[in-house]
Amino acid sequence: MFLEAIKLLTQPPADVVYYLVILFALEAVLGIAIGQARRSGWTTGLRQITLSATALLMGRVVLTIVALLAVLGVPAGVVLASAVTPPLERAIDLISLGVLAWTFVPLLRDRRQLGLGLLVINSVVALVVYAIFAGQWYNTSAAPTAFYSASQQEVVWQVWSLALAALSAGAILLGRAELSGTTLFAFIALALGHVFQMISPLPQSHIAGWVWLAQLTAYPLFAVAVYRQVILAEPYAAPAQAGPPASDTSEPELILEAVRRLSISTDLPLALQQVAAAMAQALAADLVAIGLPSDSVPGTIDLAAIHHPGAAPTPGATFSLSKQPVVNRALERCRPIAVEPDETTPELTDLFGLTGSFVAGPLLVAPLLDEKTVLGVILLGNPRSRRVWSAAETQRARTLTNYVAAALVTARRSKELEQRIEELGHTLRRQELEAAQRRSALETALQRAQTDAQKASIRLAALAQIQKEQAEQHDIDQSWQEKAQQLAQERASLENDQREQQAEVQRLARLQAAVEIQLKDAQRQIAQLKDELQRHAPRLESAATASNNHQHDVVASMTQELRTPMTSITGYIDLLLSESVGILGAMQRQFLQRVKANVERMDGMLVDLIGITAIDAGEMKIEPEPVDVAQIVEEAVMGSAALFREHELSIRIEIAEGLPGIQADRDSLYQIVSHLLSNAALCSPSNSEVIVQAQVQPEMADYLLFGVTDHGGGIAPEDRLRAFHRMYRADHPLIQGLGETGVGLSIAKTLVEAHGGRIWVDSVMNQGSTFTFILPLTSAKIETPA
């Protein structure tokens, strides 16, 4: 079957497919190498791949031209297909195999002189052998029964090629180089092709059909290997640097120097470009971009500096934070975020495209912050090396971005100070000019005033003497009149005060007499009530005790009777949900889950009824024991799962690490947390979140603090003190923002206070409420309520 397939492949027009596939694979290798060199610069590895692809392509072009000439019958009288092509094809295949080994075998690629020497020797010897074999075969091919696949020359070529392919595969396998699996498989395919060509050649054929089939398999694999090595991994040497050698300055000094220039530079874009280059060298990043918030469009980042060697970034590139969730999340959380290669999204591809990269890769987004103020963002990407950012590199990037942020703040403040100084200078010069003008005007006015003053001084002197004499006489008369009026006012005020005091004394005397009469009547009534209470006290106490005991027994009996059918209902619901008696539809399952949630809620209400009856009868017992707080919270959350699913709520548990155990009654603590969760679930809107917290605060080291936060809209301040009253909502208007409709919160309050703790509620209108309670870590304060 394989021989028939190979025979079909080597006959026209199927043989054209062979030539086209080989040519396409070699052109792909050449295109990948040249394209990568244009993006990132020429490297030793890229030059080697380009030379190899060119040599292989030239060999295949020669074979293609000879095959076309054989079809056209040029030159006339020469049978190219049988007399010239067979040895030429074997020689070109052998030389091509040597070129592939020189390119893809790590031992020959890393040791350049050894690899080049073996390549030259193999090529020269192959050409010499071809020259000898070509002349011999040209004379032998005239016989009609002579076929090259059955000749001795064919054996020499195949053994030689097999040895070269096998040695190349063995060298790759022993070297264990990264990304070498594809090339190893390709060389193995070539070796197998030469083996089968020796064992089972095509009868009466000049074509090495098995070798053709192996090359159709191997050459596309070599193209894939080049793509993986050049585009994804780039294992070859770094681009040759033009110009003077790099400075010996260490990476920290480069960063500090760039940051120093940024803090004092007047050319901000140039300083940011220097910082980007320094960070790329310090963190070994393929590209670094620094973005600053846009002054014209809110919510937009302008890429002020992009360092991407060998690329052509988009000038004046900008992007919206609403379209880049990764960058927006890093700015909101105020910490660096690393994006793994498998997290690549179209948004990240667009972001890398702004920096001049055609492919996306691992990305590190580091925000520039001044405390909590966002100054900008630094993007560090590895689209070529595909190197993932480690935790240590992320921390180092965070440290460097803090330096850059500090320098950026300093630069901005320096610029603001310079602008302020310039504005103050303009203001000062303007004020000096205005002051000079006013001073000139004042001097002129002063001169005129001095002249007028001299003229008026003589007249004033005469008038002053006259006025002085008149004023002395007037002051004496006015002083006596003011004293007389003041004395009259004081006398009238004293007389009025005396009359008011006398009236107040008379009123207090009458009030004292009335109070004494009422006090005597009250004392007499108290004495009568005491006597009557002593006569009836034993009978009232016995009647109250009997009534409470009878009420407790009746409630307990009825509760047990009600829980019996509810247990049966729950069992049948679980049986239906497990689909043991038939498959359920999605809506049927949803309805059954709601029924189960309501049955569990009724069971909880019956438990509350028993608890409140026990509290009223004074039979509630608190038995403290060591309790694992985290386990109790998890059990309470699991018990409320059905209620939360019914209301489409999510729950988040925040339990501090290293939380100490407490001495408490396990069942009571479970009831407290369950009641608070039930209240939060009943008052929270759908698709919201309920938060459960447990921690020990430093200011209350002897107490454990619990909290349950909901988003029920908040409780009004006038209703918060009544939130824990029993049955308050049954007798009064509903409390907005409260989920409980019965006695759950009242029982929770009683159980918390029985443990020596305290419970309260904090609420923000239109946002939600937090029910908080504290319990002592030890049982010293636990007491059983009477």
Side-chain angles (χ1 to χ4, degrees):
M1 182 176 66
F2 282 100
L3 289 175
E4 293 296 327
I6 294 174
K7 185 181 296 184
L8 181 63
L9 175 66
T10 57
Q11 294 177 356
D15 56 349
V16 178
V17 176
Y18 162 77
Y19 289 106
L20 291 178
V21 171
I22 299 300
L23 289 175
F24 176 80
L26 295 176
E27 288 174 356
V29 171
L30 186 62
I32 292 172
I34 294 176
Q36 183 64 17
R38 293 181 63 184
R39 287 192 297 271
S40 59
W42 285 100
T43 66
T44 303
L46 291 176
R47 290 192 179 94
Q48 185 175 358
I49 292 175
T50 304
L51 291 175
S52 300
T54 304
L56 294 174
L57 196 59
M58 290 176 61
R60 294 298 158 178
V61 170
V62 170
L63 285 177
T64 304
I65 294 174
V66 173
L68 291 175
L69 293 176
V71 173
L72 299 175
V74 178
V78 179
V79 184
L80 293 177
S82 60
V84 177
T85 303
L88 177 62
E89 182 179 3
R90 277 31 170 215
I92 291 178
D93 287 344
L94 181 61
I95 295 174
S96 299
L97 193 56
V99 174
L100 291 173
W102 175 63
T103 306
F104 294 101
V105 176
L107 177 63
L108 302 180
R109 186 182 63 207
D110 298 337
R111 300 181 182 180
R112 301 176 184 174
Q113 295 181 352
L114 174 63
L116 186 59
L118 292 178
L119 174 63
V120 172
I121 293 173
N122 179 74
S123 302
V124 171
V125 174
L127 291 176
V128 172
V129 173
Y130 165 72
I132 297 172
F133 282 0
Q136 295 177 355
W137 176 250
Y138 187 83
N139 297 325
T140 305
S141 64
T145 59
F147 295 98
Y148 201 85
S149 296
S151 65
Q152 295 296 325
Q153 295 183 10
E154 176 74 355
V155 176
V156 174
W157 291 117
Q158 299 305 324
V159 171
W160 193 348
S161 300
L162 173 61
L164 190 55
L167 289 175
S168 299
I172 293 175
L173 185 61
L174 294 176
R176 296 181 180 179
E178 296 182 357
L179 303 176
S180 62
T182 306
T183 56
L184 174 62
F185 187 82
F187 279 113
I188 291 176
L190 291 174
L192 291 176
H194 292 294
V195 169
F196 284 109
Q197 181 63 26
M198 289 190 298
I199 297 175
S200 178
L202 288 178
Q204 300 179 357
S205 175
H206 299 289
I207 299 175
W210 289 101
V211 176
W212 278 28
L213 183 61
Q215 290 175 348
L216 284 176
T217 304
Y219 275 75
L221 290 178
F222 285 123
V224 173
V226 170
Y227 177 81
R228 294 182 62 193
Q229 291 176 345
V230 173
I231 301 299
L232 300 182
E234 292 188 51
Y236 299 102
Q241 299 292 336
S247 174
D248 293 334
T249 306
S250 61
E251 295 175 358
E253 293 177 348
L254 288 174
I255 290 292
L256 293 177
E257 178 62 18
V259 169
R260 186 189 66 81
R261 292 178 181 177
L262 175 62
S263 61
I264 63 175
S265 176
T266 57
D267 190 355
L268 184 60
L270 177 60
L272 289 176
Q273 192 68 35
Q274 294 173 347
V275 169
M279 290 197 68
Q281 182 174 353
L283 297 172
D286 295 345
L287 64 89
V288 175
I290 300 178
L292 301 178
S294 175
D295 295 331
S296 58
V297 182
T300 302
I301 297 296
D302 296 335
L303 295 182
I306 301 176
H307 177 78
H308 191 180
T314 305
T318 63
F319 63 90
S320 176
L321 289 176
S322 61
K323 296 182 179 179
Q324 295 296 335
V326 174
V327 179
N328 195 23
R329 187 164 66 251
L331 296 179
E332 289 177 351
R333 297 183 179 179
C334 299
R335 64 178 179 83
I337 293 180
V339 181
E340 300 292 342
D342 56 351
E343 297 177 1
T344 302
T345 60
E347 293 83 2
L348 291 182
T349 303
D350 296 340
L351 187 60
F352 275 90
L354 296 178
T355 63
S357 176
F358 295 96
V359 294
L363 177 66
L364 180 62
V365 182
L368 295 171
L369 303 172
D370 180 18
E371 296 181 352
K372 294 298 182 180
T373 303
V374 176
L375 303 177
V377 64
I378 296 181
L379 307 176
L380 301 100
N382 291 323
R384 288 180 296 170
S385 65
R386 311 295 294 181
R387 181 172 55 84
V388 179
W389 296 101
S390 63
E393 291 174 330
T394 302
Q395 183 60 35
R396 186 179 183 190
R398 188 172 190 172
T399 302
L400 295 179
T401 53
N402 290 336
Y403 293 151
V404 175
L408 190 60
V409 171
T410 302
R412 290 188 174 182
R413 291 178 179 174
S414 299
K415 186 176 181 180
E416 293 174 357
L417 288 175
E418 291 175 357
Q419 294 177 351
R420 182 61 177 167
I421 290 173
E422 185 176 358
E423 292 175 358
L424 291 176
H426 290 311
T427 303
L428 181 61
R429 288 191 293 271
R430 185 175 65 255
Q431 291 179 351
E432 288 177 350
L433 179 61
E434 294 175 354
Q437 294 175 353
R438 289 196 298 270
R439 185 168 53 251
S440 176
L442 289 174
E443 288 176 355
T444 303
L446 179 61
Q447 291 176 359
R448 290 198 301 267
Q450 289 177 351
T451 303
D452 295 336
Q454 290 177 358
K455 295 179 180 178
S457 61
I458 299 174
R459 295 193 299 270
L460 290 175
L463 293 174
Q465 183 64 31
I466 297 172
Q467 290 177 354
K468 182 178 179 180
E469 295 175 354
Q470 294 177 353
E472 291 177 354
Q473 184 63 32
H474 178 71
D475 290 340
I476 294 173
D477 297 338
Q478 186 176 5
S479 176
W480 282 106
Q481 292 177 359
E482 290 178 354
K483 288 183 179 180
Q485 292 177 357
Q486 183 177 2
L487 290 175
Q489 292 176 356
E490 291 179 357
R491 179 178 179 182
S493 177
L494 290 174
E495 291 177 351
N496 188 30
D497 292 342
Q498 183 178 8
R499 288 193 297 271
E500 290 179 355
Q501 289 178 359
Q502 291 176 354
E504 183 66 21
V505 169
Q506 294 176 358
R507 187 182 66 81
L508 291 176
R510 291 193 299 270
L511 181 60
Q512 181 179 3
V515 169
E516 288 179 354
I517 295 172
Q518 294 177 1
L519 180 60
K520 292 179 180 180
D521 294 339
Q523 289 175 350
R524 184 174 61 257
Q525 293 176 4
I526 289 173
Q528 294 176 357
L529 289 174
K530 285 183 178 180
D531 294 339
E532 185 176 357
L533 182 61
Q534 289 177 358
R535 291 194 303 270
H536 296 286
R539 187 167 62 255
L540 291 174
E541 290 179 357
S542 60
T545 302
S547 176
N548 289 336
N549 292 336
H550 177 70
Q551 182 182 2
H552 177 263
D553 293 340
V554 171
V555 171
S557 177
M558 293 179 64
T559 302
Q560 294 300 330
E561 291 296 331
L562 288 173
R563 296 185 69 180
T564 300
M566 288 173 57
T567 303
S568 178
I569 294 173
T570 303
Y572 280 115
I573 292 174
D574 292 336
L575 184 62
L576 291 173
L577 289 175
S578 64
E579 296 185 346
S580 300
V581 294
I583 300 176
L584 297 176
M587 184 173 294
Q588 294 170 339
R589 179 175 293 276
Q590 183 179 5
F591 287 166
L592 285 175
Q593 287 176 348
R594 290 187 177 179
V595 171
K596 183 179 179 181
N598 282 281
V599 170
E600 291 178 352
R601 183 180 176 188
M602 289 177 63
D603 185 67
M605 294 171 66
L606 291 176
V607 173
D608 292 344
L609 183 57
I610 295 175
I612 199 66
T613 305
I615 292 173
D616 291 341
E619 296 180 359
M620 186 181 68
K621 295 182 180 180
I622 300 298
E623 298 179 355
E625 59 177 313
V627 174
D628 185 354
V629 175
Q631 182 179 0
I632 294 297
V633 173
E634 291 177 359
E635 290 178 358
V637 170
M638 293 300 295
S640 304
L643 182 59
F644 276 80
R645 283 195 300 269
E646 179 186 3
H647 289 78
E648 299 179 356
L649 301 174
S650 62
I651 187 167
R652 184 176 64 191
I653 302 176
E654 297 180 355
I655 299 179
E657 295 182 358
L659 200 65
I662 65 173
Q663 292 285 336
D665 185 86
R666 180 184 181 87
D667 294 336
S668 299
L669 183 56
Y670 176 84
Q671 288 187 43
I672 296 170
V673 179
S674 297
H675 286 312
L676 295 183
L677 288 175
S678 174
N679 175 74
L682 292 173
C683 70
S684 295
S686 299
N687 299 318
S688 62
E689 184 183 49
V690 175
I691 303 173
V692 181
Q693 296 176 317
Q695 58 183 329
V696 176
Q697 294 184 345
E699 59 270 17
M700 294 190 302
D702 296 333
Y703 289 87
L704 187 63
L705 184 142
F706 294 80
V708 178
T709 302
D710 59 59
H711 294 82
I715 303 173
E718 62 270 14
D719 292 331
R720 293 172 191 172
L721 295 178
R722 299 192 295 270
F724 298 99
H725 288 189
R726 185 188 307 173
M727 299 300 292
Y728 175 80
R729 297 181 63 179
D731 303 327
H732 296 79
L734 297 178
I735 298 178
Q736 296 296 329
L738 194 65
E740 273 289 344
T741 59
V743 296
L745 294 178
S746 174
I747 292 176
K749 181 176 183 295
T750 302
L751 293 176
V752 168
E753 293 177 349
H755 282 76
R758 189 169 68 87
I759 186 170
W760 67 93
V761 59
D762 298 315
S763 185
V764 179
M765 297 305 296
N766 299 323
Q767 294 187 15
S769 305
T770 299
F771 284 83
T772 307
F773 67 94
I774 57 174
L775 296 178
L777 295 177
T778 62
S779 60
K781 296 182 180 182
I782 296 181
E783 59 183 10
T784 301

